[in-house]
Amino acid sequence: MKKTLLFGLMAMAGVVAQAQEYAYTTYAKVKVVGQELVQNGDFSDPDAYSNWTDADGISSVDPASWAFIEAAGPSGEHVMQSGGTTTEGALVQAVSVEPGKYIVSFLLNVSAGTNSAQAVFFNTDGSPSYVDGNRAIIAIKNWNATDWITVADTVTVEEDGFVVFNLSKFGADAMVTNFSVKQVEMVFDTRKLERFAEYANAVIG
């Protein structure tokens, strides 16, 4: 009887998951309630660099700093590949947002073993440069992963403004794709229920 109840709960959770789009960060599960706000976040437009700029927010992206590579992502996505830490160019997009809660994410591969740094932040003017007073969403950080990873976090926006992606001086051959900003609602994290179910089933036998 106890087993039947636990499996029933898990089945119900699975039905709900199929009907809604959910996303995860390290610490939270969210339900997606808004459309994708990043333009050309997977570089699939005919002009792969459209909607992206260099560090000044105006100039075109320098291919020597970020080279377009077809179908090199984990699921065949197009990617941008870094030319290395000595290049001066950046990969920048300012995404307009209204008050609400959002999940901000992208895919990163630094399997060449070189550290990479990125900045994702909120401001009210869309400026591409991080300055004091901006709100960091995903702070500048050194990554040294061995495969594709999802970099994601949630942010609560209290006024009209911009989520800004600004990626520069990545290690040579680091790759990025699937940039995303979507409005979300917080929901119960079913991963806790799944862990409890696994434990309970093990105890019950």
Side-chain angles (χ1 to χ4, degrees), residues 140-155:
I140 295 174
K141 181 176 181 178
N142 287 329
W143 295 95
N144 198 6
T146 57
D147 204 345
W148 284 99
I149 58 174
T150 299
V151 180
D153 208 345
T154 56
V155 59

Side-chain angles (χ1 to χ4, degrees), residues 55-157:
D56 60 5
I58 300 173
S59 303
S60 299
V61 176
D62 180 4
S65 297
W66 288 101
F68 173 68
I69 308 294
E70 289 191 48
S75 299
E77 303 94 337
H78 302 325
V79 308
M80 290 293 172
Q81 184 176 57
S82 172
T85 57
T86 60
T87 58
E88 296 298 325
L91 189 65
V92 174
Q93 185 172 155
V95 181
S96 179
V97 293
E98 300 175 344
K101 183 175 288 292
Y102 296 85
I103 186 166
V104 179
S105 64
F106 63 96
L107 295 181
L108 169 66
N109 185 314
V110 286
S111 58
T114 55
N115 287 336
S116 295
Q118 39 71 33
V120 184
F121 52 91
F122 172 85
N123 60 31
T124 57
D125 61 3
S127 169
S129 299
Y130 182 85
V131 297
D132 290 343
N134 289 172
R135 179 180 176 184
I137 299 173
I138 303 173
I140 295 174
K141 181 176 181 178
N142 287 329
W143 295 95
N144 198 6
T146 57
D147 204 345
W148 284 99
I149 58 174
T150 299
V151 180
D153 208 345
T154 56
V155 59
T156 299
V157 174

